Amino acid sequence: MITDTIVAISTPIGEGAIGIVRMSGPDAFDIAQKIFKTKSNKKPINREMVYGHIYHDHQIIDEVMMVKMFKPHTYTREDIVEINCHGGILPLKEIMSLCLKNGARVAERGEFTQRAFLNGRIDLTQAESVMDLISAKTKKGFELAINQLDGFLSKKIKEIRNRLIATMAQIEVSIDYPEEDIEEITYVEIKNNLSSVVNDIDQLLLNAQNGKIIRDGLKTAIVGKPNVGKSSLMNALLKDSRAIVTEIAGTTRDVIEEFMNIGGIPIKLIDTAGIRDTDDIVEKIGVERSKGVFNEADLIIFMLNASEVLSEEDLMLMELVKDRHSIVIINKTDLDMKIDESVINMHLKDKIIIKTSLELDQGIDLVEKAIQQMVFSNNVDINSTEMVSNTRHISLLELSRANVCDALVAIENLMPYDFIEVDIKEGIINLGKITGESVEKDLLTNIFSNFCLGK
């Protein structure tokens, strides 16, 4: 049982028209009554915004609007008070301090949402989608989070889990009561049930990579040797002069990161230092960081200079790029063409190759289309209400699938029911970890510690 009352500032710290202090817990109304007064002494009713003042020792602290929300029909399923005050940092801190002096404690990160989960209002996938909703970078990401908050994904996972539970229950009856006049489940029936579960999990995982990209963004690294136009490409895609551009090779010394939106896809665009051998200590550090970014990127944009013959650095990068998801850009096509395109086509024949002249603003639209094509090449339904986007969920679905497949192997080998049951039980546990039906305290702490304060 949760017996204490928590308080937090639920709006961003800084100057603004309105700020909100939120309290949740059994003493929320009593604390509010001690510090809030109206001229008419009107008692607030459920969900009615009331005008008044916050007082401390008969001194007015701020002019506010306050609303009381009665349990259980609240976000946390506890009594909640929200005080809307002026948005400066001082009134917010003063009001929060008064709440603390009168019995509340400071909420931990994500504790309001954690209480909503612990009190059964939402499951764990819905709780995680709250943070996805706040941090969504595109409309598609926002819509995906809304769908998960509404419980579409939860319902599908629970339905799969319940089918596994039903199958395991039938197996346990056959094991525990062999003498009873109960129809024994056959290997064929178990196999059909489990095969159906594997198919449903596969359907969820089909869209998982695209869902993860929509949620987290596509980490896209622009690589190439110095002075091929990497920073110019970044500025052109961002439509802003974010990176310094000069004719001097090695101008970019460090990794530059910016988020952008291409066709609803959040792109984490990374401009890297030109990769080459150098004696410059600072540039050498930048090159090493570029190599690290290259290894971690989801998509590589590999740039070449059309006005120069292919160098050893170019050929070395071609070898690295050929086995990665990548787009090849031949830039500076407005100058005399000296590059050997046949070598490029031979080494990177399966890649999208685009010719650009960033100086003349040519080819940027082709780059944007190529990025979209790379992400959604499988023509999956990106509007699916059951799309998986969270890395934790994907991992647990894969584990559960592996458990069920192990059970199918045991069936093929006509192993005793006890062995099959163990694998099915593991699959049930892993699915339960997604929705929170079988979850450890440490995992909850880790998940909610990533939330913002006041949510």
Side-chain angles (χ1 to χ4, degrees), residues 345-400:
N345 291 326
M346 180 178 66
H347 282 80
L348 304 171
K349 57 186 176 182
D350 61 333
K351 306 299 182 187
I352 299 173
I353 300 175
I354 302 169
K355 293 181 180 179
T356 65
S357 171
L358 298 175
E359 182 70 24
L360 301 179
D361 199 25
Q362 295 175 351
I364 295 299
D365 57 332
L366 297 177
V367 178
E368 293 181 350
K369 288 177 182 177
I371 292 173
Q372 292 184 64
Q373 183 179 336
M374 290 292 291
V375 177
F376 299 125
S377 57
N378 295 325
N379 296 318
V380 296
D381 180 12
I382 62 173
N383 295 313
S384 172
T385 56
E386 297 168 357
M387 180 179 282
V388 185
S389 60
N390 187 303
T391 302
R392 188 183 74 85
H393 302 167
I394 295 169
S395 175
L396 288 167
L397 279 170
E398 289 173 342
L399 281 174
S400 183

Side-chain angles (χ1 to χ4, degrees), residues 160-174:
I160 294 172
R161 185 171 182 267
N162 287 337
R163 278 158 48 203
L164 283 179
I165 291 172
T167 301
M168 190 175 75
Q170 287 180 286
I171 292 172
E172 287 180 343
V173 167
S174 299

Side-chain angles (χ1 to χ4, degrees), residues 82-268:
E82 288 189 356
I83 300 169
N84 291 248
C85 62
H86 290 97
I89 185 61
L90 284 176
L92 282 164
K93 283 192 170 182
E94 286 290 326
I95 293 171
M96 183 169 168
S97 177
L98 284 174
C99 293
L100 295 173
K101 287 177 181 177
N102 284 280
R105 68 165 174 83
V106 178
E108 297 174 3
R109 285 183 174 272
E111 190 170 0
F112 289 92
T113 304
Q114 186 175 24
R115 289 189 176 204
F117 165 69
L118 293 173
N119 290 330
R121 183 183 173 273
I122 55 176
D123 67 20
L124 201 52
T125 60
Q126 291 171 299
E128 289 170 294
S129 70
V130 171
M131 201 59 214
D132 293 345
L133 199 65
I134 294 170
S135 59
K137 299 172 182 67
T138 65
K139 186 178 179 182
K140 282 188 174 68
F142 182 83
E143 290 171 348
L144 182 59
I146 282 287
N147 283 335
Q148 293 193 0
L149 184 59
D150 281 346
F152 289 108
L153 178 61
S154 301
K155 289 173 187 174
K156 183 63 179 178
I157 290 172
K158 287 175 181 177
E159 185 264 327
I160 294 172
R161 185 171 182 267
N162 287 337
R163 278 158 48 203
L164 283 179
I165 291 172
T167 301
M168 190 175 75
Q170 287 180 286
I171 292 172
E172 287 180 343
V173 167
S174 299
I175 294 171
D176 296 338
Y177 305 102
E179 295 86 9
E180 298 293 330
D181 187 20
I182 301 171
E183 185 177 351
E184 184 175 332
I185 190 169
T186 66
Y187 281 110
V188 173
E189 288 175 309
I190 299 171
K191 182 179 178 180
N192 289 339
N193 292 347
L194 298 186
S195 296
S196 174
V197 166
V198 170
N199 289 336
D200 283 353
I201 293 176
D202 284 342
Q203 195 61 41
L204 287 173
L205 290 173
L206 177 66
N207 290 349
Q209 187 57 37
N210 288 338
K212 184 176 180 295
I213 288 170
I214 291 172
R215 178 182 183 265
D216 299 331
L218 185 74
K219 196 171 186 178
T220 304
I222 307 173
V223 302
K225 68 182 184 182
N227 207 29
V228 294
K230 298 185 296 298
S231 297
S232 296
L233 177 64
M234 184 175 197
N235 290 341
L237 289 170
L238 292 172
K239 297 176 176 59
D240 186 21
S241 298
R242 175 63 180 85
I244 298 172
V245 177
T246 75
E247 293 297 322
I248 303 170
T251 299
T252 302
R253 299 295 188 94
D254 202 354
V255 170
I256 301 173
E257 298 182 358
E258 285 289 339
F259 268 101
M260 61 177 296
N261 180 350
I262 296 180
I265 309 163
I267 305 293
K268 188 179 184 180

Side-chain angles (χ1 to χ4, degrees), residues 11 23 34 67-68 104-105 151 158 171 198 227 261 313 324 326 328 378 390 395 403 413-414 423 431 436 448:
T11 43
M23 277 192 295
K34 292 175 184 176
V67 60
K68 294 169 71 172
R105 68 165 174 83
K158 287 175 181 177
I171 292 172
V198 170
N227 207 29
N261 180 350
E313 287 95 341
R324 301 287 301 275
S326 54
V328 181
N378 295 325
N390 187 303
S395 175
N403 298 142
N413 294 323
L414 300 178
D423 291 322
L431 288 176
F448 289 107

